[in-house]
């Protein structure tokens, strides 16, 4: 049995939920999100709670049960609180600047990297800390991974872009011959 799927998703007053067949529509203060279940799970709305249940005892049905419950919960959390990822830019001469809907990164290449900021995503810069905020957990994680990929941290000096909570295990460099 799915331990995740058993728990109901609590709906706060600031979010409106509508279940029509296999489609669930969430409407918050800033955005509207939809979740299509394709008839893989049974969804009920009772007393400001979404209750998910498996259609049968097949392993695939139980997997969908927990997955769709987690996706619905992420949408509710995203519409009420939002999600954020923080990246740290380390290295001499490595800089970032947010101008309009464009993120400009100077990471030691011969040219600056320009990354367009998607709609619904907010980026703020505080010294060497880049914070990415938005209501879609998957989108925020994907954007953070794409930015990190421009210059991943290296193990000798620790230069590059890393997550704020990421720990880089440092390696010892070459030693001089005696």
């Amino acid at each position: 049995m799915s331990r995740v799927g058993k728990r109901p998703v609590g709906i706060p007053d600031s979010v409106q939920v509508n279940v029509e067949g296999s489609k669930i529509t969430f409407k918050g203060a800033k955005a509207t999100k939809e979740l299509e279940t394709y008839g893989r799970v049974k969804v009920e709305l009772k007393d400001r709670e979404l209750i998910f249940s498996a259609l049968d005892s097949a392993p695939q049905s139980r997997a969908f049960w927990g997955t769709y419950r987690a996706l619905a919960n992420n949408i509710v959390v995203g519409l009420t609180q939002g999600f954020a990822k923080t990246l740290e830019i380390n290295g001499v001469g490595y800089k970032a600047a947010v101008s309009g809907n464009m993120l400009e990164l100077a990471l030691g290449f011969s040219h600056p990297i320009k990354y367009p900021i998607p709609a619904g995503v907010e980026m703020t810069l505080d010294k060497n800390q880049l914070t990415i905020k938005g209501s879609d957990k998957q989108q925020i994680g994907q954007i953070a991974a794409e930015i990190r990929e421009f210059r991943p941290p290296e193990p000798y000096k620790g230069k590059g872009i890393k997550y704020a909570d990421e720990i880089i295990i440092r390696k010892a460099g070459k030693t001089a011959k005696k």
Side-chain angles (χ1 to χ4, degrees):
M1 298 299 277
S2 174
R3 292 182 186 169
V4 174
K6 284 181 188 177
R7 295 186 307 220
V9 177
I11 309 296
D13 294 332
S14 62
V15 178
Q16 296 175 356
V17 178
N18 188 17
V19 179
E20 294 177 9
S22 64
K23 185 185 279 188
I24 310 168
T25 307
F26 301 88
K27 187 173 182 182
K30 295 182 180 178
T32 301
K33 302 266 183 184
E34 290 183 353
L35 178 63
E36 178 65 55
T37 61
Y38 301 103
R40 295 176 177 147
V41 292
K42 188 173 146 191
V43 184
E44 296 177 66
L45 181 63
K46 290 183 182 174
D47 303 328
R48 303 289 300 163
E49 287 186 332
L50 271 177
I51 300 168
F52 291 84
S53 56
L55 292 177
D56 53 21
S57 61
Q60 193 174 24
S61 178
R62 289 193 320 236
F64 283 131
W65 178 25
T67 300
Y68 283 118
R69 187 263 176 212
L71 291 173
N73 189 53
N74 285 343
I75 290 173
V76 170
V77 170
L79 289 175
T80 55
Q81 301 166 356
F83 293 100
K85 286 261 186 195
T86 304
L87 296 172
E88 226 174 74
I89 302 169
N90 296 323
V92 177
Y94 289 9
K95 299 183 264 189
V98 178
S99 57
N101 63 343
M102 193 68 69
L103 173 68
E104 269 190 54
L105 298 163
L107 300 173
F109 297 118
S110 62
H111 59 284
I113 298 168
K114 295 184 184 226
Y115 186 84
I117 300 172
V121 176
E122 178 188 327
M123 289 191 191
T124 56
L125 200 58
D126 183 38
K127 294 186 182 177
N128 68 337
Q129 302 257 339
L130 176 67
T131 305
I132 306 164
K133 295 179 185 176
S135 63
D136 190 348
K137 186 176 186 176
Q138 191 277 331
Q139 183 184 29
I140 298 302
Q142 183 66 37
I143 290 169
E146 287 172 2
I147 292 171
R148 182 185 182 274
E149 194 66 28
F150 291 133
R151 184 66 89 170
E154 53 98 12
Y156 296 101
K157 293 183 179 178
K159 293 169 38 172
I161 301 175
K162 70 179 190 87
Y163 297 111
D165 57 351
E166 183 179 8
I167 297 170
I168 306 298
I169 299 173
R170 304 292 281 271
K171 291 183 179 179
K174 293 182 180 178
T175 56
K177 192 173 183 180
K178 294 182 181 178

